[in-house]
């Protein structure tokens, strides 16, 4: 029997932001959304990708003959270029010969047992802090069978489980994953479907329907709202979210709202992937802005917290 594998792009220990206690994160590759503020652009495409740090590269050319699919090229002007139209096969041969650590292949096929072993290494921290594992991305629901298998394996050995999701998924896939998930961190990026499409590339009707289904089925859900100045921080937007959530306010499985202030931690990754960063200017919110938004939500006695990285 062939063991199922997950296609991931990162593993991270000692996370304190994505669920209760100390957590191990596993980031799944592939996402149906294209949020303009995404801090993990290396998780968007469900394929291997080359990341190049231009300031580290000396254009020595060692990677050119090493690559079996000829992705790398040194131009006549001595510039290292990458042919993004050719699919990387994830062999890491270019990384192995790079003397300046300028190259990285993002994407890794990992078996469920490999990931479980990695997660179990920090069991003592989970037990002391009430932590566990959180599956994020990218988008975890883009690989429903692998996600379900990993969550099931964690539950079988007594590890608390959480997922972070955009909610844009087939309902059956999401519900299957939810059966083995102790906490669902569910993104609400904008309440207006047209604005949501403008910001993410998809409308939000499916997302909101899935959210209501999870809440009605009594799965534990915490709402997460990425906050950007001038984009989704208006009083009308916040009160629209509250109005939508009001019917579920007193559900024991509704665990409140986290506000996630915009940050620029992923900007350099776009350059390394040969991508243009989609946001002009700086939509960061001030402490006063965040206090005001938090205050609007507290008017309705909703549990709310600002998550600062």
């Amino acid at each position: 029997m062939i063991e199922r594998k997950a296609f991931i792009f990162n593993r991270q220990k000692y996370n304190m932001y994505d669920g209760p206690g100390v957590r191990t994160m596993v980031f799944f590759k592939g996402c149906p959304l294209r949020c303009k503020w995404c801090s993990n652009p290396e998780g968007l495409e469900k394929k291997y990708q080359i990341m190049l740090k231009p300031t580290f590269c000396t254009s020595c050319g060692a990677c050119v003959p090493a690559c079996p699919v000829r992705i790398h090229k040194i131009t006549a002007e001595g510039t290292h270029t990458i042919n993004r139209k050719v699919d990387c096969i994830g062999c890491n041969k270019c990384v192995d010969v790079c003397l300046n650590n300028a190259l990285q292949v993002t994407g890794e096929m990992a078996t469920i047992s490999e990931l479980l072993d990695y997660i179990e290494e920090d069991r003592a921290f989970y037990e002391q802090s009430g932590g566990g594992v959180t599956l994020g991305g990218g988008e975890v629901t883009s690989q429903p069978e692998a996600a379900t298998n990993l969550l099931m394996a964690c539950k079988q050995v007594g590890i608390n489980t959480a997922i972070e999701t955009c909610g844009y998924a087939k309902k059956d896939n999401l519900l299957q994953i939810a059966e083995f998930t102790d906490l669902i961190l569910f993104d609400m990026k904008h309440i207006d479907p047209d604005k949501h499409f403008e910001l993410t590339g998809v409308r939000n009707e499916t997302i909101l329907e899935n959210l209501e289904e999870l809440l009605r089925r009594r799965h534990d859900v915490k709402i997460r709202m990425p906050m950007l100045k001038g984009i989704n921080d208006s009083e009308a937007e916040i009160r629209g979210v509250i109005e939508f959530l009001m019917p579920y306010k007193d559900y024991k499985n509704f665990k409140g709202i986290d506000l996630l202030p915009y940050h620029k931690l992923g900007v350099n990754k776009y350059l390394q992937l040969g991508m243009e960063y989609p946001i002009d200017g700086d939509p960061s919110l001030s402490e006063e802005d965040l206090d005001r938004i938090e205050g609007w939500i507290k008017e309705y006695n909703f549990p709310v917290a600002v998550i600062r990285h």
Side-chain angles (χ1 to χ4, degrees):
M1 182 176 177
I2 298 175
E3 184 179 6
R4 184 162 299 282
K5 295 182 178 181
F7 193 35
I8 66 173
F9 66 92
N10 196 12
R11 316 175 189 192
Q12 184 184 94
K13 291 177 177 288
Y14 314 123
N15 178 285
M16 301 291 291
Y17 305 106
D18 299 290
V22 175
R23 309 195 72 81
T24 293
M25 294 286 299
V26 179
F27 296 85
F28 281 60
K29 217 169 185 315
C31 183
L33 272 60
R34 291 296 180 268
C35 303
K36 293 183 181 297
W37 57 87
C38 180
S39 60
N40 289 326
E42 74 274 34
L44 297 177
E45 300 287 347
K46 197 174 177 182
K47 62 181 184 180
Y48 295 107
Q49 292 171 283
I50 297 288
M51 299 181 75
L52 168 67
K53 298 177 182 177
T55 55
F56 284 46
C57 180
T58 61
S59 298
C60 69
C63 56
V64 176
C67 177
V69 292
R70 299 294 184 261
I71 287 177
H72 303 277
K73 179 182 178 181
I74 305 299
T75 68
E77 294 77 23
T79 302
H80 182 181
T81 62
I82 294 175
N83 186 350
R84 302 284 179 183
K85 294 180 180 180
V86 176
D87 286 337
C88 172
I89 61 173
C91 68
N92 278 284
K93 290 181 179 178
C94 63
V95 176
D96 293 340
V97 300
C98 181
L99 299 177
N100 300 293
N101 296 317
L103 292 170
Q104 176 186 344
V105 173
T106 178
E108 172 195 358
M109 293 298 299
T111 66
I112 300 304
S113 59
E114 287 170 347
L115 291 173
L116 183 61
D117 288 345
Y118 178 80
I119 292 164
E120 283 204 277
E121 289 174 1
D122 287 350
R123 177 183 286 274
F125 293 105
Y126 311 149
E127 293 173 351
Q128 292 168 9
S129 68
V133 64
T134 301
L135 309 187
E139 172 53 40
V140 63
T141 61
S142 68
Q143 299 178 54
E145 293 184 8
T148 301
N149 276 265
L150 180 54
L151 292 165
M152 189 187 309
C154 290
K155 293 300 295 177
Q156 287 173 346
V157 296
I159 294 175
N160 178 275
T161 60
I163 65 167
E164 184 178 15
T165 179
C166 69
Y168 192 76
K170 291 181 179 179
K171 187 175 295 182
D172 288 347
N173 288 342
L174 184 57
L175 293 176
Q176 173 184 290
I177 290 171
E179 285 299 315
F180 303 98
T181 305
D182 294 308
L183 177 64
I184 299 168
L185 303 170
F186 197 105
D187 287 356
M188 288 190 73
K189 303 172 191 297
H190 208 289
I191 198 66
D192 178 79
D194 293 328
K195 190 68 174 177
H196 195 280
F197 179 84
E198 179 185 333
L199 295 171
T200 70
V202 305
R203 292 174 65 85
N204 68 355
E205 288 91 347
T206 295
I207 293 170
L208 297 179
E209 288 173 9
N210 282 338
L211 173 57
E212 289 187 302
E213 187 72 14
L214 290 169
L215 287 166
R216 284 195 295 261
R217 288 175 179 255
R218 297 303 196 264
H219 293 289
D220 284 1
V221 175
K222 177 172 280 190
I223 302 301
R224 308 194 103 192
M225 296 176 61
M227 301 306 307
L228 295 89
K229 193 171 185 65
I231 294 177
N232 61 355
D233 63 326
S234 70
E235 184 172 359
E237 165 68 14
I238 300 303
R239 296 198 188 278
V241 171
I242 294 298
E243 182 179 348
F244 179 85
L245 294 173
M246 189 61 74
Y248 310 102
K249 174 187 172 185
D250 295 324
Y251 281 34
K252 289 184 179 180
N253 59 307
F254 174 62
K255 300 300 181 181
I257 299 172
D258 283 345
L259 303 178
L260 309 179
Y262 169 80
H263 59 73
K264 290 187 173 182
L265 297 179
V267 172
N268 287 334
K269 296 178 185 179
Y270 285 82
L271 175 64
Q272 295 173 26
L273 287 163
M275 300 168 61
E276 184 177 346
Y277 189 62
I279 289 183
D280 293 324
D282 184 6
S284 300
L285 289 104
S286 67
E287 291 299 318
E288 292 76 14
D289 292 327
L290 292 168
D291 288 344
R292 181 174 64 253
I293 295 167
E294 192 175 4
W296 289 334
I297 297 172
K298 284 182 175 178
E299 286 179 23
Y300 298 88
N301 294 317
F302 275 75
V304 58
V306 179
I307 307 300
R308 294 175 173 85
H309 285 76

